[in-house]
Amino acid sequence: MNKSFRYGLLLTLALLLLFAANLLIGSVSIPVSDVVRILLGNDEVKESWRYIVWEARLPQALTAMLSGSALAVCGLMLQTLFRNPLAGTSILGVNSGAGLGVALVTLCLGGSVTASAFSLSGFFSLLAGAFVGAMAVMSLILFFSLLIRSNVMLLITGIMIGYLASSAVALLNYVSTAEGVQSYMLWGMGNFGGVSLSQMPWFALVALIGIVAALSLVKPLNALLLGERYAENLGIHVRRVRNVLLVITGLLTAVTTAFCGPILFIDLAVPHIARLLLGTSNHRILLPMTLLTGAVVALLCNLVCVLPGSTGFIPLNSVTPIIGAPVVIYVILSGRSRE
């Protein structure tokens, strides 16, 4: 049994156990037998328990699994494209763009978006603002990618766009009301509970389309590991691959950020965890394992968030750095030791 198959089995088992734990553990104690009966469609269970399992715990667990996989594969692709172990979705400013969209809705528009007879309010207005902001930044990055040939310069351009968006958010926070600032801060803490069961098919469809598209880039990503010139000699159209990769990354980041807020460290740390486990950079093995690892890490973080039970919930972005930051520090230190 080779290493990749062994770790694949272990990660699959961990995924199943953590998914089950996310359904069983929460602020309300529900017996295991009743959770199973609810999932099997038995009506002889408390209505409140059925609502908690179907409308809260199940969508949250599915969202965590899909978002973790999507963000992890985005991080892996960006690290390969830019040949930078610290590249992530926040580097390109997509998260900042989503944050600016939410800030405009909550701090300038009072939490609602109205255009003639069309109106959105509450969560849907935040969702629309985040998605439009993220895709606007992604469109800017794609425009600059047509003008800039160097990946390093494109990376720096993305960082600058992120800084501009963050600066605009800071100014909006400064002139806004206390209620608007609080609403924006709550969104910024991150939460996998933003997708309802009725919204899940659409969220899952977009996430799975992006993930499948990422899996189709295995061969170009392996070629890029050896450098752009070598990839071109193999017949890889590097600029086209870069643009497709940016579109996939932008779409996955936009949809996860819009529904869940800016999730920190998963995109940055999970690819390194997968590399450390497998000891390989071959994307034919690494990409599927990164997807699995991202889902496992996200489910673990979501479980930690609900462990306080009736005493409250821990913000997601206060948990993800506990797992992600040590991995990033290790990567930096191991890189220095090889110099």
Side-chain angles (χ1 to χ4, degrees):
M1 186 183 297
N2 60 37
K3 183 188 287 188
S4 59
F5 184 74
R6 184 167 64 249
Y7 280 125
L9 283 178
L10 289 174
L11 286 171
T12 302
L13 178 61
L15 180 70
L16 294 174
L17 291 174
L18 285 168
F19 190 86
N22 274 266
L23 296 178
L24 298 173
I25 298 172
S27 57
V28 177
S29 179
I30 304 176
V32 176
S33 59
D34 287 321
V35 171
V36 174
R37 289 164 64 195
I38 290 168
L39 294 174
L40 292 176
N42 194 319
D43 293 332
E44 298 176 2
V45 185
K46 285 185 181 179
E47 184 62 32
S48 59
W49 287 359
R50 187 159 55 248
Y51 180 85
I52 289 169
V53 172
W54 278 109
E55 298 297 331
R57 293 185 185 177
L58 181 60
Q60 197 163 347
L62 290 171
T63 303
M65 188 170 64
L66 289 169
S67 299
S69 295
L71 291 172
V73 78
C74 286
L76 175 62
M77 291 192 298
L78 291 176
Q79 288 167 15
T80 301
L81 175 66
F82 294 113
R83 305 187 75 182
N84 187 330
L86 299 180
T89 54
S90 56
I91 283 288
L92 289 179
V94 180
N95 283 349
S96 298
L100 178 58
V102 171
L104 287 170
V105 171
T106 57
L107 306 180
C108 294
L109 302 178
S112 62
V113 179
T114 303
S116 63
F118 178 77
S119 179
L120 286 175
S121 60
F123 170 75
F124 291 103
S125 63
L126 297 184
L127 177 63
F131 191 80
V132 169
M135 293 311 294
V137 169
M138 201 64 247
S139 300
L140 267 178
I141 296 292
L142 283 170
F143 171 73
F144 282 115
S145 74
L146 299 175
L147 306 176
I148 301 171
R149 186 170 182 84
S150 169
N151 282 342
V152 174
M153 291 299 104
L154 185 62
L155 184 65
I156 294 172
T157 303
I159 294 171
M160 294 303 107
I161 292 173
Y163 279 139
L164 288 172
S166 298
S167 177
V169 171
L171 288 172
L172 289 172
N173 273 308
Y174 181 75
V175 300
S176 180
T177 62
E179 292 79 7
V181 173
Q182 183 182 21
S183 177
Y184 179 78
M185 287 182 64
L186 288 173
W187 174 82
M189 289 178 180
N191 177 25
F192 287 133
V195 184
S196 66
L197 195 62
S198 60
Q199 296 166 338
M200 180 55 64
W202 298 107
F203 177 79
L205 178 64
V206 175
L208 290 173
I209 287 173
I211 288 170
V212 170
L215 289 169
S216 70
L217 294 178
V218 165
K219 184 179 177 181
L221 287 169
N222 276 338
L224 285 172
L225 287 175
L226 302 171
E228 290 186 17
R229 185 167 297 178
Y230 184 86
E232 288 175 349
N233 289 336
L234 290 176
I236 304 296
H237 194 298
V238 173
R239 181 170 288 194
R240 185 185 301 157
V241 169
R242 182 177 71 177
N243 291 343
V244 170
L245 189 150
L246 290 174
V247 169
I248 294 170
T249 300
L251 179 66
L252 288 175
T253 305
V255 73
T256 53
T257 305
F259 277 98
C260 309
I263 309 301
L264 304 177
F265 278 103
I266 288 180
D267 63 316
L268 191 58
V270 169
H272 294 298
I273 295 174
R275 286 192 193 95
L276 291 171
L277 287 174
L278 297 171
T280 181
S281 294
N282 183 354
H283 287 79
R284 198 173 299 281
I285 301 170
L286 184 60
L287 196 54
M289 290 301 170
T290 300
L291 288 169
L292 269 176
T293 308
V296 168
V297 169
L299 284 170
L300 177 61
C301 291
N302 190 62
L303 184 62
V304 173
C305 288
V306 302
L307 282 180
S310 59
T311 60
F313 296 91
I314 302 174
L316 182 60
N317 280 334
S318 65
V319 175
T320 51
I322 296 173
I323 296 174
V327 174
V328 174
I329 293 170
Y330 173 80
V331 169
I332 293 170
L333 293 177
S334 61
R336 284 180 60 86
S337 66
R338 288 194 293 268
E339 292 176 356

